[in-house]
Amino acid sequence: KKINFLIGTMQDKAKRLQKMTSVLISELETKSENLKIAAELRSNILQAALLAKSDLDTQLVFEFTELQGEIGGIYAEREGLAHSVAQAISEHYMPRSADDQEPESLGGKLIAIVDKLDNLISYFSAGKIPKGSSDPFALRRQANGILQIIIHGDLKLDLEKFIKSFIEENPPLIENSEYDGNSLAAKLYEFLEQRLEFVFS
């Protein structure tokens, strides 16, 4: 099922989330000596990343868009999946606004970072960069969310390196983009630096 010309199919999106969440886990473990994620939890987080968008196909989320993620977590629980899988699915859209809290679970935090970054890369590659007060795709909010999760979660992450890895592993699915991989990464990192000032303020 095509979602839009930026990110391909929902299956493409799900595979990217799973792959880059795995890369993110490895990056965090490398940077943080005290962070060693048990094999079972790692497996559960990656399962949640693959299933995180499954509820978008339901009529329930179609009618009540504010339930995206939350209803997916409920479905996962009812399917008998591990609690950590269900919690990560339900939390991965957080924070949804400036007043919303960040995800509590590690899985929710990591999938939220990857999902938001995937959205930013997709839209930036198409030149859909916020200008002035115009931000129809809520990219500033998503960037703020990434930074809030990293800061409040005390996650040790080289964000610039991870952005470059993300783009190298997943070339944007758009032709005639005005950016190559390096310039896209630089533009996005500059944008996140600007949002960091806002988050700190």
Side-chain angles (χ1 to χ4, degrees), residues 4-175:
N4 60 45
F5 71 101
L6 300 177
I7 61 174
T9 66
M10 189 56 73
Q11 185 179 38
D12 293 332
K13 171 85 168 178
K15 288 180 177 178
R16 283 199 307 275
L17 291 184
Q18 187 179 56
K19 178 171 71 171
M20 295 314 298
T21 299
S22 179
V23 172
L24 180 55
I25 289 172
S26 298
E27 289 285 330
L28 290 171
E29 288 183 327
T30 299
K31 296 287 288 184
S32 304
E33 295 180 3
N34 298 328
L35 180 64
K36 296 299 176 187
I37 300 174
E40 182 179 2
L41 178 57
R42 183 188 184 109
S43 177
N44 288 348
I45 292 173
L46 296 182
Q47 183 181 24
L50 187 64
L51 299 175
K53 301 300 180 181
S54 296
D55 63 355
L56 295 184
D57 233 9
T58 68
Q59 291 300 311
L60 188 55
V61 170
F62 179 79
E63 186 172 356
F64 302 100
T65 55
E66 67 274 12
L67 291 180
Q68 59 187 5
E70 289 186 31
I71 199 66
I74 292 171
Y75 286 158
E77 289 271 20
R78 294 193 174 188
E79 283 293 315
L81 300 181
H83 175 69
S84 58
V85 174
Q87 185 176 9
I89 292 172
S90 67
E91 292 179 343
H92 85 279
Y93 284 99
M94 301 167 70
R96 293 178 173 85
S97 67
D99 299 325
D100 195 16
Q101 64 184 29
E102 295 86 34
E104 292 184 4
S105 68
L106 180 61
K109 290 182 174 78
L110 302 189
I111 299 170
I113 290 171
V114 172
D115 183 37
K116 290 171 172 54
L117 187 55
D118 183 77
N119 293 338
L120 287 170
I121 290 170
S122 295
Y123 284 107
F124 268 58
S125 70
K128 305 295 185 180
I129 301 173
K131 296 178 181 178
S133 60
S134 176
D135 186 12
F137 305 108
L139 301 185
R140 292 189 181 100
R141 175 175 57 77
Q142 294 189 64
N144 294 349
I146 291 172
L147 297 169
Q148 288 172 236
I149 292 168
I150 293 172
I151 294 167
H152 297 158
D154 196 25
L155 300 177
K156 304 293 187 287
L157 174 65
D158 184 335
L159 188 54
E160 184 174 21
K161 178 184 176 184
F162 185 61
I163 290 170
K164 290 178 180 177
S165 297
F166 202 122
I167 294 171
E168 288 171 3
E169 292 283 342
N170 309 278
L173 301 175
I174 180 171
E175 296 179 0

